[in-house]
Amino acid sequence: MRRLNRKKTLSLVKELDAFPKVPESYVETSASGGTVSLIAFTTMALLTIMEFSVYQDTWMKYEYEVDKDFSSKLRINIDITVAMKCQYVGADVLDLAETMVASADGLVYEPAVFDLSPQQKEWQRMLQLIQSRLQEEHSLQDVIFKSAFKSASTALPPREEDSSQSPDACRIHGHLYVNKVAGNFHITVGKAIPHPRGHAHLAALVNHESYNFSHRIDHLSFGELVPAIINPLDGTEKIAIDHNQMFQYFITVVPTKLHTYKISADTHQFSVTERERIINHAAGSHGVSGIFMKYDLSSLMVTVTEEHMPFWQFFVRLCGIVGGIFSTTGMLHGIGKFIVEIICCRFRLGSYKPVNSVPFEDGHTDNHLPLLENNTH
């Protein structure tokens, strides 16, 4: 009874076979079929390699939502060198809430040499080249996001020891925590002092001829410090052509959550527009000489996530490549063979033409071809 059930089950399974086996004696091979098979296998191999490279690659997914975090503080990371001595300049932040954050809360004033060494100039040149490429090809930002990790550093390399050069500039570096509202970070003449109506700078004791706000921005970023990410103002250098010159940077900051396979960080992207002008009250150009960075925060938050093709999708695409090439090459081979057969048949039919009959003396004709033909001249 069990054997009978097994036989019925096997016969039922055999009837459901979608891949019938043809005996080898019924299979006929041909040179054209072999050529098509070689082309198909080569194409499958190339497409499989390309598909595997796509599977290994990743891409960045951007999602946007309203930023609901207004209570936390915003971190500003600063590394700026000004072509004036440290005792003559002061830096601080004043926001729209009339809250002043003095530079003593996190910034360090360090005497430095403004002119770069050959190694530092090469670093700055390469950084400016990257910045120009980023402005032309925005997709390169994805490459920077994917390659970012906290242990890397894009900071200016240290200067080689040279005792012949005395410090003629001031490097202001460190970080400040400010409110998440629009504000103004500025570097101008004199140290900042609190004032009932805001704040002021003690600039009266500084000689006007010593004003020089030529500066170099080695690094400026917002949020968590991720050194491997290149920001829009990194490597910027401005040379003042007048003592009374104002440099303005208008910055729009976008909160960004970055999640890649190498790093997860709460950072900020920003865009910037620049303006510079000479202060001349007689000509109607009013203001204060210095470096002013006016920033404003966007209400949107961007979540940047690195994604990877799932294995099941890669497997489905691979099966589609193999099956599609087999089907396509089989159809093309069949069509080609059919066309060749039609052309060959027409050629054969055209070769059989009627032969002119040979008359006899008695009036009969011979429709057979002569075995020998005598050529008489």
Side-chain angles (χ1 to χ4, degrees):
M1 190 70 179
R2 290 181 180 176
R3 290 181 180 178
L4 198 60
N5 290 334
R6 284 182 182 178
K7 288 182 179 180
K8 288 183 178 180
T9 305
L10 287 174
S11 62
L12 179 62
V13 171
K14 286 181 179 180
E15 289 180 1
L16 296 175
D17 187 7
F19 308 97
K21 308 300 183 292
V22 180
E24 292 185 2
S25 58
Y26 295 165
V27 178
E28 181 182 355
T29 58
S30 63
S32 61
T35 304
V36 172
S37 298
L38 286 175
I39 295 173
F41 289 136
T42 304
T43 307
M44 277 190 288
L46 292 175
L47 291 179
T48 300
I49 294 171
M50 294 172 62
E51 192 66 29
F52 185 71
S53 64
V54 172
Y55 172 70
Q56 285 185 317
D57 194 15
T58 60
W59 60 88
M60 308 306 294
K61 179 182 178 182
Y62 292 82
E63 296 178 328
Y64 302 89
E65 59 180 315
V66 177
D67 185 15
K68 301 177 182 178
D69 183 14
F70 299 105
S71 59
S72 62
K73 294 287 186 177
L74 174 64
R75 172 170 168 157
I76 307 179
N77 307 296
I78 301 161
D79 191 350
I80 301 175
T81 302
V82 185
M84 292 179 67
K85 293 187 176 182
C86 292
Q87 61 265 30
Y88 297 152
V89 294
D92 59 276
V93 177
L94 184 66
D95 60 25
L96 288 181
E98 299 296 330
T99 302
M100 190 186 83
V101 179
S103 60
D105 295 339
L107 296 183
V108 177
Y109 292 78
E110 179 183 336
V113 178
F114 188 75
D115 292 332
L116 297 176
S117 65
Q119 180 184 2
Q120 292 174 327
K121 286 182 179 178
E122 182 65 20
W123 171 88
Q124 187 187 38
R125 187 190 67 80
M126 291 191 64
L127 190 58
Q128 290 175 348
L129 181 62
I130 294 173
Q131 293 284 20
S132 62
R133 289 292 303 276
L134 282 171
Q135 293 176 2
E136 296 174 0
E137 302 179 27
H138 300 287
S139 59
L140 290 178
Q141 186 66 38
D142 292 353
V143 179
I144 294 176
F145 279 151
K146 287 191 283 187
S147 61
F149 48 96
K150 294 184 179 180
S151 60
S153 177
T154 57
L156 181 72
R159 174 181 291 274
E160 302 87 348
E161 293 295 332
D162 188 1
S163 57
S164 62
Q165 289 183 303
S166 58
D168 59 350
C170 183
R171 179 190 174 200
I172 304 172
H173 61 97
H175 60 271
L176 297 173
Y177 287 94
V178 299
N179 298 320
K180 291 188 71 173
V181 294
N184 181 8
F185 169 77
H186 52 272
I187 302 172
T188 187
V189 179
K191 302 299 180 182
I193 57 173
H195 193 272
R197 296 184 179 180
H199 76 298
H201 288 260
L202 291 175
L205 302 178
V206 182
N207 184 11
H208 185 270
E209 296 298 324
S210 64
Y211 286 14
N212 184 4
F213 284 101
S214 299
H215 61 282
R216 183 177 60 254
I217 303 175
D218 296 327
H219 181 78
L220 179 71
S221 64
F222 297 83
E224 185 178 347
L225 182 60
V226 184
I229 293 181
I230 299 175
N231 296 278
L233 286 175
D234 293 354
T236 301
E237 184 175 273
K238 299 290 184 181
I239 304 299
I241 59 176
D242 192 272
H243 296 295
N244 288 335
Q245 192 156 351
M246 173 190 286
F247 297 91
Q248 292 177 303
Y249 299 91
F250 301 93
I251 299 172
T252 301
V253 183
V254 181
T256 304
K257 289 185 177 181
L258 181 62
H259 301 289
T260 69
Y261 291 107
K262 294 182 179 179
I263 186 175
S264 292
D266 291 335
T267 181
H268 291 70
Q269 301 178 85
F270 64 90
S271 60
V272 59
T273 55
E274 305 173 11
R275 183 190 179 195
E276 56 184 82
R277 59 189 175 93
I278 297 174
I279 303 300
N280 188 348
H281 299 289
S285 178
H286 304 290
V288 179
S289 303
I291 305 165
F292 296 86
M293 298 183 178
K294 299 182 179 181
Y295 61 88
D296 193 6
L297 275 83
S298 173
S299 59
L300 290 178
M301 180 177 66
V302 182
T303 302
V304 185
T305 308
E306 185 178 7
E307 292 193 342
H308 186 272
M309 181 188 295
F311 179 76
W312 66 265
Q313 188 174 352
F314 167 71
F315 184 73
V316 170
R317 290 165 66 102
L318 204 61
C319 292
I321 289 174
V322 175
I325 290 177
F326 262 121
S327 302
T328 304
T329 52
M331 284 192 303
L332 293 177
H333 180 247
I335 294 172
K337 191 174 181 181
F338 177 72
I339 294 173
V340 169
E341 287 180 353
I342 291 177
I343 294 174
C344 290
C345 287
R346 287 185 177 179
F347 179 76
R348 289 172 184 171
L349 289 173
S351 63
Y352 291 104
K353 295 181 180 179
V355 181
N356 294 330
S357 58
V358 180
F360 282 101
E361 294 180 356
D362 56 358
H364 297 284
T365 58
D366 184 9
N367 293 325
H368 298 281
L369 276 173
L371 295 176
L372 294 174
E373 182 179 354
N374 295 324
N375 295 324
T376 57
H377 299 282

